[in-house]
Amino acid sequence: MSANVETLEFQSEARQLLQLMIHSIYSNKDTFLRELVSNASDALDKVRLEAFRDKELQADTDDLHIALELDPAARTLTVRDNGIGMSRDEVVSLIGTIAKSGTAEFLRKLKENQGGQDQLIGQFGVGFYASFMVADKVTLVTRRAGQDEGTRWESTGEGTYTVEPVADAPQGTAVTLHLKPEDTEEHLHDYASRAKVVEIVRRYSDFITWPIRVEPEGGGEPEVVNSRKALWARSQSEVTEEEYTEFYKHVSHDWTGPLETIRLAAEGVFEYQALLFLPQRAPFDLFMRDRKRGVQLYVKRVFIMDDCEELMPEYLRFVKGVVDAQDLSLNVSREILQQDRQIQLMRRRLVRKVLSTVKSLMTDKPDSYATFWSEFGRAVKEGLLDDVDNRDAILDIASFASTHDQEKPTTLADYLARMPEGQEHVYYLTGESRSALENSPHLEAFLAKGYEVLLLTDAIDEMWVGSVPEYKGKKLQSVAKGQVDLDDDKDENAAKERAEEFAGLLGWLTEQLGDAVKEVRLSSRLTTSPACVVGDDFDLTPTLEKMYRAMGQEMPQVKRVLELNPTHPLVTALRTAHAEDRPDLADTAELVYGMALLAEGGDLPDPTRFVRLLATKLEKAL
Ligand code: ADP
């Protein structure tokens, strides 16, 4: 070994992932080649673009291609590109570490989930590391375009790797796999066989626009083995389902096929083609800040950028695919895109197309729709806040858990169709879990009247309900907020009498509990519980208050209203006790308030004190 060889350790997450690859039970090991060809293709895209934009860059872009070199005697397969290459530091950071946040969490899930490994790995995207499914040693030699010195990287995937400078490396990257022995039981094929390799390329990478060359059997000039046709530029009838699937896997780094394929083309002044996909599963980092890869922008078949947020809003960030615009300059930058009116029009059309595709899934493929909504609904609902123009279209494709059905969520259209005579609003309740909401006292009178209530438990629900006033002319109303008036045949006199009867108690309680609540009043939303706590229309909900605090925001305490059920024996007894001026009533008042908090699944301000008061009461009662 030369003196320049450094031995470095893989970052611990990378080490764990490699172990999973080495011992992979994944049946479709052929996919390693798709990953390597994908990387090579990306590297070629990058060098073409960088050389175009930076005329000073000493890059060779004459004959950009991918070469697959087989050596059956040595049992090696080399995937070579003359693309952008990597510097020594890039090799160490890109290959030796995994910089995606949430990786540790992902790996923990993967371990627990032996059977579902394929799907989980697909959501994560292992890329280069997939090589270790089929190779027991991998050598990578690379030189970044414009730099003099190359780097040689080598590893068996077991904990460490070596890097050393090399003087005469060609531009780009060559990955050489020292293949594991063939073992059909383990789904390890002979990846040094030309026929096998060509078959895999045609199956998984045919649409790659760069030539993929392989030497013919017995030697000679390498031949191009892929058809190189950009799928989005071919007419829809020409492209098979399998081709779309493989293309989707290439752009998304997903290992499972798409849920739905979306095609769109515009001709005329501003010409473009879009080939978009809805995935089957949410990526593991859907809610992480550094997640990337949405829609790629091409200009006249030339790759321009990944994750082009100018083409797809944040709330549709899971949509994958390609948009190829004919009338942009290759020099186009994010700043230009942001200001371009045509781009804005295109984005609007793409968004509408995605939303309308989901809407047609609802009727044409209800199972696909259900999958879509359970995977991506949480993200889509962000659009209710961010995309006011499409708010109604988003509400049209949304579904929500409701008191109507334990299992199946409902659309708003179905909710409206079920509304009984006399019900004026769309009712909902927000909170942390379905079970807490189902048992909440706030629901009682609504359920007793046969009114359905939407049970909203996603964090985002707390945010959008406040800014979406109505759906199809029906107001969205929280059952835990404001005064409720569900009585049809009200007896004004009886109500007045009752108010007078309770006036003393309510006034006294309001004073007693003044630090915690802003008012104590009689309720018409309770049938079986003695009390509940409600907010005013514009008050923050307790969950939202908690969320803000968790984000480190200073929050003044939100005082809510305590409502009492005037027909409940505990409440009538309390009224009598107050009228008779019995002792220890202040403790009882505090307990009633605490019970109301517990009933809605909320937190007591001082649990120890609550328990002590309760213990004393019980003791006296015995
Ligand atoms: P992914 O492709 O999902 O980002 P990989 O582990 O396959 O993950 O690759 C990590 C990074 O290493 C790539 O994003 C790229 O920057 C770099 N890389 C991999 N292969 C090549 C290559 N052939 N040429 C240049 N860079 C590469």
Side-chain angles (χ1 to χ4, degrees):
M1 255 195 225
S2 98
N4 291 328
V5 181
E6 286 176 86
T7 301
L8 300 175
E9 266 180 37
F10 284 106
Q11 165 217 34
S12 87
E13 282 96 331
R15 204 159 49 221
Q16 290 180 53
L17 192 58
L18 280 164
Q19 278 302 313
L20 277 161
M21 289 299 111
I22 293 170
H23 304 290
S24 174
I25 50 161
Y26 188 59
S27 53
N28 197 356
K29 297 197 164 64
D30 294 359
T31 48
F32 79 93
L33 191 56
R34 178 186 68 211
E35 302 291 326
L36 294 180
V37 168
S38 254
N39 283 348
S41 165
D42 292 347
L44 294 166
D45 287 338
K46 280 183 204 156
V47 79
R48 173 170 57 184
L49 197 65
E50 272 192 39
F52 177 81
R53 290 189 173 164
D54 174 7
K55 303 284 184 234
E56 309 286 295
L57 183 73
Q58 300 282 319
D60 181 0
T61 54
D62 274 351
D63 178 29
L64 297 178
H65 69 279
I66 299 167
L68 304 181
E69 298 160 2
L70 308 159
D71 187 337
R75 287 205 48 75
T76 62
L77 163 65
T78 298
V79 178
R80 180 187 300 281
D81 66 69
N82 51 357
I84 193 70
M86 286 174 272
S87 67
R88 183 246 175 228
D89 290 350
E90 283 173 325
V91 173
V92 170
S93 69
L94 295 172
I95 305 292
T97 65
I98 307 170
K100 304 181 196 178
S101 56
T103 302
E105 167 73 11
F106 160 80
L107 288 165
R108 196 185 50 69
K109 262 206 265 173
L110 200 59
K111 265 195 214 121
E112 281 170 10
N113 205 315
Q114 280 296 330
Q117 273 195 2
D118 295 9
Q119 268 195 329
L120 277 171
I121 285 179
Q123 279 174 286
F124 183 79
V126 284
F128 173 75
Y129 287 178
S131 313
F132 288 94
M133 294 193 301
V134 301
D136 38 34
K137 188 169 79 180
V138 177
T139 311
L140 176 149
V141 176
T142 184
R143 179 169 66 81
R144 201 175 201 292
Q147 295 186 354
D148 294 329
E149 197 171 71
T151 305
R152 185 186 141 92
W153 176 101
E154 191 165 86
S155 181
T156 58
E158 299 277 3
T160 62
Y161 59 91
T162 58
V163 276
E164 67 185 296
V166 284
D168 51 358
Q171 171 186 310
T173 305
V175 177
T176 299
L177 308 183
H178 305 265
L179 296 165
K180 290 185 185 174
E182 211 183 321
D183 183 344
T184 30
E185 230 161 75
E186 292 289 323
H187 311 280
L188 278 167
H189 302 291
D190 182 6
Y191 300 113
S193 130
R194 185 183 196 276
K196 183 69 196 171
V197 164
V198 169
E199 174 210 318
I200 300 176
V201 168
R202 294 219 170 110
R203 181 147 35 99
Y204 294 130
S205 313
D206 190 57
F207 50 81
I208 296 283
T209 45
W210 301 105
I212 303 174
R213 296 181 193 151
V214 189
E215 247 185 42
E217 211 79 58
E221 270 300 291
E223 300 163 345
V224 176
V225 297
N226 56 328
S227 77
R228 307 179 56 191
K229 285 189 200 149
L231 291 199
W232 61 88
R234 287 161 59 188
S235 85
Q236 200 152 353
S237 55
E238 262 181 54
V239 185
T240 65
E241 224 26 61
E242 288 70 41
E243 284 177 299
Y244 280 134
T245 298
E246 293 315 326
F247 181 72
Y248 163 74
K249 290 179 179 173
H250 166 67
V251 287
S252 66
H253 293 233
D254 193 343
W255 288 24
T256 354
L259 184 73
E260 191 66 16
T261 302
I262 305 173
R263 285 199 60 158
L264 187 67
E267 278 162 23
V269 213
F270 192 76
E271 202 180 320
Y272 61 87
Q273 291 103 27
L275 173 53
L276 304 177
F277 301 94
L278 305 177
Q280 287 190 42
R281 306 246 337 222
F284 82 109
D285 56 355
L286 184 60
F287 294 95
M288 306 267 175
R289 223 170 278 178
D290 59 355
R291 113 202 78 67
K292 54 170 194 198
R293 285 208 191 95
V295 175
Q296 297 180 335
L297 176 67
Y298 279 65
V299 171
K300 298 186 265 291
R301 311 286 158 79
V302 175
F303 168 83
I304 303 292
M305 63 180 81
D306 262 329
D307 190 20
C308 185
E309 53 203 54
E310 287 70 28
L311 296 181
M312 212 33 84
E314 180 76 7
Y315 74 96
L316 297 178
R317 56 189 172 272
F318 50 84
V319 174
K320 308 286 176 192
V322 167
V323 174
D324 191 350
Q326 307 304 310
D327 305 300
L328 290 175
S329 139
L330 289 177
N331 261 329
V332 72
S333 64
R334 292 224 133 101
E335 291 67 38
I336 296 175
L337 286 177
Q338 273 157 15
Q339 285 154 20
D340 191 313
R341 224 182 75 79
Q342 294 293 348
I343 292 288
Q344 286 161 13
L345 289 174
M346 171 160 84
R347 166 175 157 138
R348 219 177 294 165
R349 204 165 152 230
L350 293 174
V351 169
R352 281 207 305 265
K353 180 74 181 176
V354 170
L355 297 177
S356 68
T357 302
V358 176
K359 190 160 184 194
S360 29
L361 287 183
M362 295 172 96
T363 39
D364 304 346
K365 303 181 188 170
D367 289 345
S368 291
Y369 165 73
T371 305
F372 172 84
W373 192 256
S374 75
E375 292 293 317
F376 301 110
R378 271 202 301 156
V380 174
K381 284 188 283 188
E382 292 169 18
L384 292 171
L385 287 166
D386 300 345
D387 188 356
V388 177
D389 290 343
N390 285 308
R391 190 174 269 170
D392 289 333
I394 297 171
L395 288 174
D396 281 342
I397 61 164
S399 353
F400 306 100
S402 110
T403 52
H404 173 71
D405 193 318
Q406 278 280 335
E407 309 290 322
K408 215 173 145 274
T410 179
T411 61
L412 288 174
D414 288 345
Y415 180 103
L416 295 192
R418 280 190 299 267
M419 268 168 68
E421 186 92 23
Q423 180 181 346
E424 285 175 25
H425 306 316
V426 172
Y427 292 111
Y428 67 84
L429 181 59
T430 60
E432 282 175 66
S433 71
R434 180 172 180 127
S435 62
L437 293 186
E438 272 176 337
N439 296 316
S440 165
H442 299 115
L443 291 181
E444 288 170 10
F446 295 86
L447 297 189
K449 278 207 85 86
Y451 291 177
E452 178 175 349
V453 178
L454 302 176
L455 304 173
L456 309 181
T457 53
D458 289 334
I460 186 70
D461 294 328
E462 298 277 350
M463 324 284 273
W464 70 261
V465 286
S467 46
V468 175
E470 55 155 60
Y471 178 72
K472 302 235 156 100
K474 299 286 178 203
K475 185 176 169 221
L476 268 63
Q477 171 67 46
S478 166
V479 299
K481 279 185 171 181
Q483 299 257 25
V484 163
D485 194 355
L486 296 179
D487 262 341
D488 315 315
D489 44 3
K490 247 185 310 203
D491 182 341
E492 294 280 341
N493 279 335
K496 219 167 138 199
E497 235 170 72
R498 193 177 260 173
E500 276 165 21
E501 259 181 320
F502 279 90
L505 174 69
L506 296 178
W508 176 77
L509 280 174
T510 303
E511 210 166 283
Q512 276 298 312
L513 299 171
D515 287 342
V517 302
K518 57 182 158 198
E519 189 195 346
V520 182
R521 68 183 177 215
L522 293 184
S523 184
S524 58
R525 72 184 92 216
L526 297 174
T527 57
T528 50
S529 299
C532 70
V533 190
V534 301
D536 278 336
D537 276 334
F538 297 103
D539 280 351
L540 288 185
T541 64
T543 315
L544 202 52
E545 205 185 326
K546 225 195 265 177
M547 276 161 52
Y548 281 129
R549 290 231 168 81
M551 291 189 292
Q553 208 144 318
E554 290 272 343
M555 295 293 299
Q557 191 209 346
V558 180
K559 283 194 194 177
R560 295 195 292 152
V561 174
L562 178 66
E563 285 195 353
L564 299 183
N565 177 356
T567 60
H568 194 282
L570 175 58
V571 176
T572 47
L574 195 60
R575 189 198 55 202
T576 314
H578 175 257
E580 292 172 2
D581 207 9
R582 296 225 206 111
D584 295 337
L585 272 192
D587 292 352
T588 313
E590 213 176 314
L591 284 169
V592 170
Y593 172 60
M595 282 160 60
L597 287 176
L598 288 176
E600 65 173 15
D603 299 325
L604 294 170
D606 185 349
T608 323
R609 186 178 155 79
F610 182 84
V611 170
R612 204 180 59 232
L613 292 177
L614 186 60
T616 316
K617 285 276 168 214
L618 290 174
E619 220 177 280
K620 283 194 185 146
L622 285 171

